[in-house]
């Protein structure tokens, strides 16, 4: 045992026999716990963390699914009802609804949620683009077939709405058709053509299946006595049809002469969308 007295170290300097103090310029070999984590929301690398493509796609898909469910329930739904319908946890539904409300795609009345005015504005923009793309083709179709030509779009209430109409120039007699007219989607060539441009449904009419095979729909007297119509779906970029183009005349016409012209017009518009 060494009985020699130990000399005191100068102030501010550790004694030669003293262990170095952590933080005094000499790193300690011991740790008292796991490394501290950066603050939540502040990445240590200095870059924003990015969700994986799969996560992002799932998030978008869920939001779109909620909009589709609300489209089919115009009276609105509660968070719990939406969660059951979408098979998504109600907390996740609440987060999605908050984001959709921020963009005015969803509105809230008490505990119920409905589609918001932002949807109407987006729809109006799409319809404007459709009108612009169809303007030339629509008038050419009317003149070539010497018949009233029209563009119809699918509405959320399972109806078809006439979006635009072109009357044949120089014709003394044609069917009067007004923009804004509505009818059931499964009646008349315009609606049947739209359904034919969408995935099959088990309850669809046989004429829809026949029209899907042919690429266009032909009906007589379904919307107006004596009226004969041909319509083809406008299928843009492989998406399910939301619109159709067609012509209407009084009395049966030569389908083999008119249908190819309607199909050409539909394809021309689809290329512009």
């Amino acid at each position: 045992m060494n009985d020699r007295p130990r000399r005191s170290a100068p102030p501010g300097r550790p004694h030669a026999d003293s262990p170095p103090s952590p933080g005094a310029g000499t790193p300690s070999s011991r740790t008292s716990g796991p490394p501290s984590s950066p603050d939540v929301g502040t990445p240590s690398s200095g870059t924003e963390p990015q969700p994986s493509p799969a996560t992002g796609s799932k998030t978008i898909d869920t939001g779109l699914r909620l909009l589709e469910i609300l489209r089919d329930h115009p009276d609105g739904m509660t968070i719990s009802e939406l969660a059951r319908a979408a098979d998504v946890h109600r907390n996740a539904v609440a987060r999605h609804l908050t984001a959709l409300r921020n963009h005015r795609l969803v509105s809230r009345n008490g505990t119920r949620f409905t589609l918001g005015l932002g949807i109407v504005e987006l729809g109006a923009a799409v319809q404007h683009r459709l009108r612009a793309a169809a303007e030339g083709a629509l008038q050419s179709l009317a003149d070539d077939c010497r018949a009233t030509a029209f563009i119809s779009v699918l509405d959320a209430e399972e109806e078809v709405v006439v979006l635009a109409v072109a009357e044949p120039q120089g014709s003394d007699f044609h069917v009067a058709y007004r923009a804004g007219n509505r009818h059931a989607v499964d009646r008349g060539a315009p609606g049947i053509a739209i359904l034919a441009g969408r995935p099959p449904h088990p309850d669809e009419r046989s004429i829809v299946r026949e029209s899907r095979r042919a690429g266009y729909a032909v009906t007589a007297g379904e919307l107006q006595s004596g009226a004969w119509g041909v319509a083809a779906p406008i299928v843009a970029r492989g998406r399910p049809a939301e619109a159709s183009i067609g012509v209407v005349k009084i009395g049966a016409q030569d389908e083999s002469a008119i249908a190819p012209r309607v199909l050409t017009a539909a394809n021309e518009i689809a290329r512009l969308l």
Side-chain angles (χ1 to χ4, degrees), residues 33-57:
S36 60
S37 301
D39 291 341
V40 175
T42 307
S44 58
S45 63
T47 59
E48 290 289 338
Q50 299 296 325
S52 67
T55 301
S57 298

PDB file of all heavy atoms in Angstrom, residues 33-57:
ATOM      1  N   GLY A  33     -27.118   5.556 -21.422  1.00  0.00           N
ATOM      2  CA  GLY A  33     -28.384   5.175 -22.029  1.00  0.00           C
ATOM      3  C   GLY A  33     -28.261   5.256 -23.528  1.00  0.00           C
ATOM      4  O   GLY A  33     -27.199   5.553 -24.073  1.00  0.00           O
ATOM      5  N   PRO A  34     -29.332   4.977 -24.269  1.00  0.00           N
ATOM      6  CA  PRO A  34     -29.299   5.014 -25.728  1.00  0.00           C
ATOM      7  C   PRO A  34     -29.107   6.429 -26.204  1.00  0.00           C
ATOM      8  O   PRO A  34     -29.429   7.388 -25.519  1.00  0.00           O
ATOM      9  CB  PRO A  34     -30.677   4.456 -26.128  1.00  0.00           C
ATOM     10  CG  PRO A  34     -31.545   4.721 -24.942  1.00  0.00           C
ATOM     11  CD  PRO A  34     -30.656   4.609 -23.757  1.00  0.00           C
ATOM     12  N   PRO A  35     -28.557   6.596 -27.418  1.00  0.00           N
ATOM     13  CA  PRO A  35     -28.383   7.944 -27.970  1.00  0.00           C
ATOM     14  C   PRO A  35     -29.710   8.670 -28.030  1.00  0.00           C
ATOM     15  O   PRO A  35     -30.752   8.069 -28.285  1.00  0.00           O
ATOM     16  CB  PRO A  35     -27.824   7.674 -29.392  1.00  0.00           C
ATOM     17  CG  PRO A  35     -27.312   6.269 -29.372  1.00  0.00           C
ATOM     18  CD  PRO A  35     -28.122   5.556 -28.357  1.00  0.00           C
ATOM     19  N   SER A  36     -29.654   9.950 -27.773  1.00  0.00           N
ATOM     20  CA  SER A  36     -30.903  10.722 -27.792  1.00  0.00           C
ATOM     21  C   SER A  36     -31.450  10.795 -29.197  1.00  0.00           C
ATOM     22  O   SER A  36     -30.709  10.875 -30.168  1.00  0.00           O
ATOM     23  CB  SER A  36     -30.635  12.140 -27.278  1.00  0.00           C
ATOM     24  OG  SER A  36     -29.681  12.782 -28.099  1.00  0.00           O
ATOM     25  N   SER A  37     -32.779  10.735 -29.318  1.00  0.00           N
ATOM     26  CA  SER A  37     -33.435  10.785 -30.618  1.00  0.00           C
ATOM     27  C   SER A  37     -33.737  12.219 -30.989  1.00  0.00           C
ATOM     28  O   SER A  37     -34.007  13.041 -30.122  1.00  0.00           O
ATOM     29  CB  SER A  37     -34.759  10.004 -30.567  1.00  0.00           C
ATOM     30  OG  SER A  37     -34.517   8.667 -30.219  1.00  0.00           O
ATOM     31  N   PRO A  38     -33.702  12.542 -32.302  1.00  0.00           N
ATOM     32  CA  PRO A  38     -34.057  13.900 -32.692  1.00  0.00           C
ATOM     33  C   PRO A  38     -35.507  14.171 -32.390  1.00  0.00           C
ATOM     34  O   PRO A  38     -36.305  13.252 -32.232  1.00  0.00           O
ATOM     35  CB  PRO A  38     -33.787  13.899 -34.212  1.00  0.00           C
ATOM     36  CG  PRO A  38     -33.870  12.456 -34.623  1.00  0.00           C
ATOM     37  CD  PRO A  38     -33.380  11.676 -33.441  1.00  0.00           C
ATOM     38  N   ASP A  39     -35.860  15.420 -32.314  1.00  0.00           N
ATOM     39  CA  ASP A  39     -37.239  15.793 -32.048  1.00  0.00           C
ATOM     40  C   ASP A  39     -38.150  15.217 -33.108  1.00  0.00           C
ATOM     41  O   ASP A  39     -37.792  15.106 -34.268  1.00  0.00           O
ATOM     42  CB  ASP A  39     -37.386  17.318 -32.035  1.00  0.00           C
ATOM     43  CG  ASP A  39     -36.686  17.926 -30.843  1.00  0.00           C
ATOM     44  OD1 ASP A  39     -36.418  17.184 -29.867  1.00  0.00           O
ATOM     45  OD2 ASP A  39     -36.408  19.128 -30.897  1.00  0.00           O
ATOM     46  N   VAL A  40     -39.351  14.863 -32.706  1.00  0.00           N
ATOM     47  CA  VAL A  40     -40.328  14.328 -33.648  1.00  0.00           C
ATOM     48  C   VAL A  40     -40.588  15.357 -34.736  1.00  0.00           C
ATOM     49  O   VAL A  40     -40.865  16.510 -34.460  1.00  0.00           O
ATOM     50  CB  VAL A  40     -41.634  13.980 -32.928  1.00  0.00           C
ATOM     51  CG1 VAL A  40     -42.680  13.544 -33.925  1.00  0.00           C
ATOM     52  CG2 VAL A  40     -41.389  12.900 -31.902  1.00  0.00           C
ATOM     53  N   GLY A  41     -40.528  14.897 -35.977  1.00  0.00           N
ATOM     54  CA  GLY A  41     -40.779  15.799 -37.093  1.00  0.00           C
ATOM     55  C   GLY A  41     -39.536  16.533 -37.543  1.00  0.00           C
ATOM     56  O   GLY A  41     -39.594  17.312 -38.486  1.00  0.00           O
ATOM     57  N   THR A  42     -38.366  16.309 -36.912  1.00  0.00           N
ATOM     58  CA  THR A  42     -37.123  16.955 -37.317  1.00  0.00           C
ATOM     59  C   THR A  42     -36.127  15.869 -37.674  1.00  0.00           C
ATOM     60  O   THR A  42     -35.451  15.332 -36.808  1.00  0.00           O
ATOM     61  CB  THR A  42     -36.565  17.828 -36.190  1.00  0.00           C
ATOM     62  OG1 THR A  42     -37.576  18.711 -35.748  1.00  0.00           O
ATOM     63  CG2 THR A  42     -35.344  18.625 -36.672  1.00  0.00           C
ATOM     64  N   PRO A  43     -36.039  15.458 -38.937  1.00  0.00           N
ATOM     65  CA  PRO A  43     -35.156  14.370 -39.324  1.00  0.00           C
ATOM     66  C   PRO A  43     -33.706  14.740 -39.056  1.00  0.00           C
ATOM     67  O   PRO A  43     -33.282  15.868 -39.297  1.00  0.00           O
ATOM     68  CB  PRO A  43     -35.417  14.198 -40.828  1.00  0.00           C
ATOM     69  CG  PRO A  43     -36.698  14.937 -41.082  1.00  0.00           C
ATOM     70  CD  PRO A  43     -36.775  15.997 -40.054  1.00  0.00           C
ATOM     71  N   SER A  44     -32.906  13.755 -38.552  1.00  0.00           N
ATOM     72  CA  SER A  44     -31.516  14.032 -38.240  1.00  0.00           C
ATOM     73  C   SER A  44     -30.687  14.233 -39.491  1.00  0.00           C
ATOM     74  O   SER A  44     -29.642  14.850 -39.451  1.00  0.00           O
ATOM     75  CB  SER A  44     -30.929  12.887 -37.411  1.00  0.00           C
ATOM     76  OG  SER A  44     -31.044  11.667 -38.108  1.00  0.00           O
ATOM     77  N   SER A  45     -31.128  13.689 -40.653  1.00  0.00           N
ATOM     78  CA  SER A  45     -30.344  13.812 -41.868  1.00  0.00           C
ATOM     79  C   SER A  45     -30.528  15.147 -42.548  1.00  0.00           C
ATOM     80  O   SER A  45     -29.848  15.460 -43.504  1.00  0.00           O
ATOM     81  CB  SER A  45     -30.741  12.701 -42.847  1.00  0.00           C
ATOM     82  OG  SER A  45     -32.091  12.855 -43.215  1.00  0.00           O
ATOM     83  N   GLY A  46     -31.499  15.927 -42.109  1.00  0.00           N
ATOM     84  CA  GLY A  46     -31.741  17.229 -42.721  1.00  0.00           C
ATOM     85  C   GLY A  46     -32.643  17.162 -43.941  1.00  0.00           C
ATOM     86  O   GLY A  46     -32.855  18.150 -44.623  1.00  0.00           O
ATOM     87  N   THR A  47     -33.181  15.985 -44.246  1.00  0.00           N
ATOM     88  CA  THR A  47     -34.082  15.846 -45.391  1.00  0.00           C
ATOM     89  C   THR A  47     -35.418  15.320 -44.921  1.00  0.00           C
ATOM     90  O   THR A  47     -35.499  14.603 -43.933  1.00  0.00           O
ATOM     91  CB  THR A  47     -33.498  14.872 -46.430  1.00  0.00           C
ATOM     92  OG1 THR A  47     -33.294  13.595 -45.810  1.00  0.00           O
ATOM     93  CG2 THR A  47     -32.170  15.397 -46.980  1.00  0.00           C
ATOM     94  N   GLU A  48     -36.459  15.656 -45.647  1.00  0.00           N
ATOM     95  CA  GLU A  48     -37.803  15.214 -45.273  1.00  0.00           C
ATOM     96  C   GLU A  48     -37.942  13.728 -45.539  1.00  0.00           C
ATOM     97  O   GLU A  48     -37.586  13.238 -46.617  1.00  0.00           O
ATOM     98  CB  GLU A  48     -38.846  15.976 -46.107  1.00  0.00           C
ATOM     99  CG  GLU A  48     -38.967  17.442 -45.747  1.00  0.00           C
ATOM    100  CD  GLU A  48     -39.622  17.625 -44.396  1.00  0.00           C
ATOM    101  OE1 GLU A  48     -40.321  16.695 -43.959  1.00  0.00           O
ATOM    102  OE2 GLU A  48     -39.436  18.665 -43.784  1.00  0.00           O
ATOM    103  N   PRO A  49     -38.508  12.961 -44.585  1.00  0.00           N
ATOM    104  CA  PRO A  49     -38.759  11.542 -44.848  1.00  0.00           C
ATOM    105  C   PRO A  49     -39.877  11.401 -45.864  1.00  0.00           C
ATOM    106  O   PRO A  49     -40.882  12.102 -45.794  1.00  0.00           O
ATOM    107  CB  PRO A  49     -39.161  10.992 -43.466  1.00  0.00           C
ATOM    108  CG  PRO A  49     -39.723  12.174 -42.739  1.00  0.00           C
ATOM    109  CD  PRO A  49     -38.956  13.368 -43.242  1.00  0.00           C
ATOM    110  N   GLN A  50     -39.680  10.504 -46.799  1.00  0.00           N
ATOM    111  CA  GLN A  50     -40.664  10.320 -47.859  1.00  0.00           C
ATOM    112  C   GLN A  50     -41.393   9.007 -47.665  1.00  0.00           C
ATOM    113  O   GLN A  50     -40.767   7.977 -47.394  1.00  0.00           O
ATOM    114  CB  GLN A  50     -39.979  10.331 -49.238  1.00  0.00           C
ATOM    115  CG  GLN A  50     -39.271  11.629 -49.558  1.00  0.00           C
ATOM    116  CD  GLN A  50     -40.248  12.786 -49.658  1.00  0.00           C
ATOM    117  OE1 GLN A  50     -41.377  12.621 -50.116  1.00  0.00           O
ATOM    118  NE2 GLN A  50     -39.822  13.967 -49.216  1.00  0.00           N
ATOM    119  N   PRO A  51     -42.748   9.000 -47.810  1.00  0.00           N
ATOM    120  CA  PRO A  51     -43.470   7.735 -47.713  1.00  0.00           C
ATOM    121  C   PRO A  51     -43.123   6.852 -48.901  1.00  0.00           C
ATOM    122  O   PRO A  51     -42.779   7.343 -49.970  1.00  0.00           O
ATOM    123  CB  PRO A  51     -44.944   8.166 -47.751  1.00  0.00           C
ATOM    124  CG  PRO A  51     -44.930   9.466 -48.473  1.00  0.00           C
ATOM    125  CD  PRO A  51     -43.636  10.133 -48.104  1.00  0.00           C
ATOM    126  N   SER A  52     -43.215   5.555 -48.692  1.00  0.00           N
ATOM    127  CA  SER A  52     -42.960   4.632 -49.791  1.00  0.00           C
ATOM    128  C   SER A  52     -44.060   4.778 -50.826  1.00  0.00           C
ATOM    129  O   SER A  52     -45.179   5.202 -50.515  1.00  0.00           O
ATOM    130  CB  SER A  52     -42.944   3.194 -49.268  1.00  0.00           C
ATOM    131  OG  SER A  52     -44.239   2.822 -48.825  1.00  0.00           O
ATOM    132  N   PRO A  53     -43.787   4.416 -52.110  1.00  0.00           N
ATOM    133  CA  PRO A  53     -44.823   4.500 -53.130  1.00  0.00           C
ATOM    134  C   PRO A  53     -46.078   3.730 -52.761  1.00  0.00           C
ATOM    135  O   PRO A  53     -47.187   4.165 -53.019  1.00  0.00           O
ATOM    136  CB  PRO A  53     -44.128   3.913 -54.371  1.00  0.00           C
ATOM    137  CG  PRO A  53     -42.666   4.128 -54.128  1.00  0.00           C
ATOM    138  CD  PRO A  53     -42.488   4.010 -52.647  1.00  0.00           C
ATOM    139  N   ALA A  54     -45.885   2.557 -52.119  1.00  0.00           N
ATOM    140  CA  ALA A  54     -47.052   1.754 -51.750  1.00  0.00           C
ATOM    141  C   ALA A  54     -47.908   2.474 -50.730  1.00  0.00           C
ATOM    142  O   ALA A  54     -49.136   2.484 -50.807  1.00  0.00           O
ATOM    143  CB  ALA A  54     -46.603   0.397 -51.210  1.00  0.00           C
ATOM    144  N   THR A  55     -47.246   3.119 -49.734  1.00  0.00           N
ATOM    145  CA  THR A  55     -47.994   3.847 -48.715  1.00  0.00           C
ATOM    146  C   THR A  55     -48.740   5.017 -49.317  1.00  0.00           C
ATOM    147  O   THR A  55     -49.913   5.260 -49.023  1.00  0.00           O
ATOM    148  CB  THR A  55     -47.034   4.341 -47.622  1.00  0.00           C
ATOM    149  OG1 THR A  55     -46.375   3.221 -47.045  1.00  0.00           O
ATOM    150  CG2 THR A  55     -47.785   5.095 -46.542  1.00  0.00           C
ATOM    151  N   GLY A  56     -48.049   5.773 -50.190  1.00  0.00           N
ATOM    152  CA  GLY A  56     -48.701   6.906 -50.822  1.00  0.00           C
ATOM    153  C   GLY A  56     -49.882   6.490 -51.666  1.00  0.00           C
ATOM    154  O   GLY A  56     -50.941   7.124 -51.639  1.00  0.00           O
ATOM    155  N   SER A  57     -49.728   5.398 -52.422  1.00  0.00           N
ATOM    156  CA  SER A  57     -50.817   4.924 -53.265  1.00  0.00           C
ATOM    157  C   SER A  57     -52.004   4.491 -52.427  1.00  0.00           C
ATOM    158  O   SER A  57     -53.159   4.759 -52.776  1.00  0.00           O
ATOM    159  CB  SER A  57     -50.327   3.753 -54.130  1.00  0.00           C
ATOM    160  OG  SER A  57     -49.287   4.155 -54.981  1.00  0.00           O
TER     161      SER A  57
END
